[in-house]
Amino acid sequence: MQEGKRQKQVGSLLNEELNLIFQRLGLGMIDGGMVSISSVKLTPDLLEARIYLSLFQVKDADSTLKKIEERGWEIKRELAARVAKQLRRMPELRFFLDDTLDHVFKMEELFRKINPDDETNKQ
């Protein structure tokens, strides 16, 4: 389903603010790995924000996601203070793992197996 203009605007605002909040709370680096927000998608009624997290070199993705969810109330409180003037209601925050990077690595590995002598695969 296509996202509306307002959904994109609010998603962009939340993405920007959440990145700042993650830096401030020290959630950018967890368990020796890096956590970043890849995207924020909102439901059409703007009452639920789905936050997709990209994890790089994190040992246990599930425990990292759980740590972030445990601090969800703190993240939501900070976010509400920052965007209170732009939104009527604060959306419910839901965190998900963004596994597109894993798919990219798997596809590259498959391409290397299919055509091992290709110049573009040599790096």
Side-chain angles (χ1 to χ4, degrees):
M1 188 169 175
Q2 186 74 17
E3 266 191 317
K5 182 179 178 184
R6 181 70 177 149
Q7 285 174 276
K8 289 179 185 177
Q9 288 174 337
V10 174
S12 176
L13 172 70
L14 294 181
N15 191 344
E16 188 176 313
E17 294 297 337
L18 282 168
N19 276 312
L20 295 173
I21 291 168
F22 268 53
Q23 287 176 359
R24 189 172 122 21
L25 296 177
L27 294 172
M29 298 294 283
I30 297 178
D31 296 335
M34 191 171 73
V35 178
S36 64
I37 299 169
S38 59
S39 67
V40 177
K41 304 287 183 191
L42 281 123
T43 56
D45 59 4
L46 303 179
L47 294 179
E48 182 180 312
R50 296 181 181 121
I51 302 155
Y52 293 93
L53 303 172
S54 179
L55 307 178
F56 182 68
Q57 292 186 341
V58 173
K59 295 175 182 98
D60 187 11
D62 292 330
S63 71
T64 301
L65 185 62
K66 189 171 184 168
K67 287 178 186 177
I68 292 171
E69 286 173 343
E70 287 171 356
R71 295 188 68 186
W73 64 271
E74 189 177 2
I75 295 167
K76 186 173 181 176
R77 186 184 66 207
E78 290 264 340
L79 186 61
R82 290 175 175 257
V83 299
K85 303 288 188 222
Q86 289 101 340
L87 298 176
R88 289 182 187 167
R89 291 186 59 190
M90 186 62 202
E92 188 67 32
L93 303 180
R94 308 235 187 252
F95 297 96
F96 298 95
L97 292 176
D98 183 14
D99 57 356
T100 54
L101 200 56
D102 295 335
H103 289 296
V104 169
F105 289 139
K106 287 179 185 176
M107 294 302 287
E108 286 179 351
E109 186 61 33
L110 286 172
F111 288 137
R112 279 192 205 102
K113 287 179 181 177
I114 292 170
N115 199 358
D117 58 336
D118 188 10
E119 288 296 318
T120 58
N121 290 333
K122 293 181 181 177
Q123 293 177 2

